[in-house]
Amino acid sequence: ADIRNFTTLAESLSPRATVETLNEVYTELFEAVAASNGVLDKFLGDGIMAHWGAPVTTDRDPLNAVESAAQMLRLAEGLNVKRRVAGLAEIRLGMGVATGEAIAGAIGSPKRMDYTVIGDSVNLAARLEQLTKVYGVSLIVDAATAEALADSPFTLRDLDTVRVRGRRSTAHIFQVLTPEAPLADAALAAYGEGRALMAGGRFADAAPAFERALAAAADDGPAAVMLGRARSLERAPPAPDWDGVWGEG
């Protein structure tokens, strides 16, 4: 999880106010992690890393992680209510969740060691968090997490297939829609139609679908990204053997 645009926010704050803001936000994020049986692994300047399933694994670790992320968004909105009254800039979060095997243990030097987790799924979660900036969404999960959420109350949008930095394999990614940030059914349907047309190489037909998605939800970041992509591919079609993956994220 990362606090969006915190560097810009901190420019308008004194050092003391910067620390107080971080402490206020981190207090809320810690409570969200602890409430879902997670471990807050570390603070990362203007972000956090947390994990579920170590040292004790359960059959609902992916769901716990996403429930925690949703709770973070609710708590951030609670902070923003007070910040708006005080005339302060709002706090926005971007989060990535990935499910998979990881190595957990004490890592460091003989003089200082920290309990943490490392592995491909950890790296993927960090990349997904960064991709929330590209798509303009708050929470992105990988396919393994999405599969684990099949019977959950969460609504997921099939977002994209990407090739993230540092990984040879592609990642199928999904946006988690929360009750606090719903999306109109018409927007979801039009986005799905556009993605299907893109997969079939029908870029000129895909653009109007994404335009309909934006007409139903003007601030839908993924639809805006895909509209630009469809128009670009219409002007300069990819090679016949293109795998449908758009660059690296």
Side-chain angles (χ1 to χ4, degrees):
D2 179 73
I3 303 173
R4 287 286 168 259
N5 300 318
F6 189 77
T7 301
T8 302
L9 176 64
E11 287 179 346
S12 62
L13 301 174
S14 68
R16 180 182 295 275
T18 299
V19 172
E20 290 175 347
T21 298
L22 282 174
N23 287 343
E24 181 181 32
V25 176
Y26 284 161
T27 297
E28 300 288 5
L29 300 190
F30 174 83
E31 293 300 330
V33 172
S36 63
N37 297 316
V39 175
L40 201 156
D41 189 294
K42 56 177 65 73
F43 295 105
L44 303 168
D46 58 359
I48 66 166
M49 171 180 161
H51 62 261
W52 288 256
V56 179
T57 301
T58 73
D59 60 358
R60 57 172 285 140
D61 294 319
L63 179 58
N64 283 342
V66 174
E67 286 181 344
S68 176
Q71 177 67 0
M72 289 181 193
L73 292 175
R74 288 191 292 271
L75 292 172
E77 181 53 31
L79 288 177
N80 286 333
V81 170
K82 295 184 290 185
R83 294 180 67 83
R84 284 192 288 267
V85 171
L88 301 173
E90 296 184 7
I91 298 296
R92 300 296 177 196
L93 301 176
M95 293 169 285
V97 178
T99 297
E101 292 187 355
I103 299 170
I107 296 174
S109 77
K111 293 185 177 180
R112 173 169 176 174
M113 299 188 118
D114 290 320
Y115 179 82
T116 190
V117 292
I118 59 174
D120 179 61
S121 58
V122 181
N123 296 333
L124 178 56
R127 298 303 185 207
L128 298 185
E129 175 267 303
Q130 294 167 3
L131 283 176
T132 61
K133 302 175 186 177
V134 174
Y135 295 93
V137 300
S138 297
L139 177 55
I140 294 178
V141 302
D142 70 335
T145 305
E147 183 179 355
L149 297 177
D151 296 324
S152 77
F154 290 103
T155 299
L156 276 69
R157 168 164 47 173
D158 187 333
L159 196 59
D160 202 356
T161 300
V162 298
R163 184 175 289 108
V164 300
R165 292 192 302 273
R167 294 181 94 232
R168 293 197 182 111
S169 59
T170 59
H172 193 179
I173 63 174
F174 298 78
Q175 177 192 6
V176 178
L177 299 164
T178 63
E180 291 74 27
L183 195 63
D185 291 342
L188 288 172
Y191 184 89
E193 179 185 346
R195 288 281 298 146
L197 291 167
M198 289 270 284
R202 298 170 57 186
F203 309 121
D205 295 329
F210 295 125
E211 289 172 346
R212 291 196 301 274
L214 286 169
D219 59 349
D220 184 28
V225 169
M226 290 297 166
L227 176 58
R229 190 180 300 180
R231 287 173 172 167
S232 177
L233 290 169
E234 182 184 1
R235 291 191 300 269
D241 60 348
W242 182 50
D243 61 3
V245 178
W246 183 266
E248 297 189 358

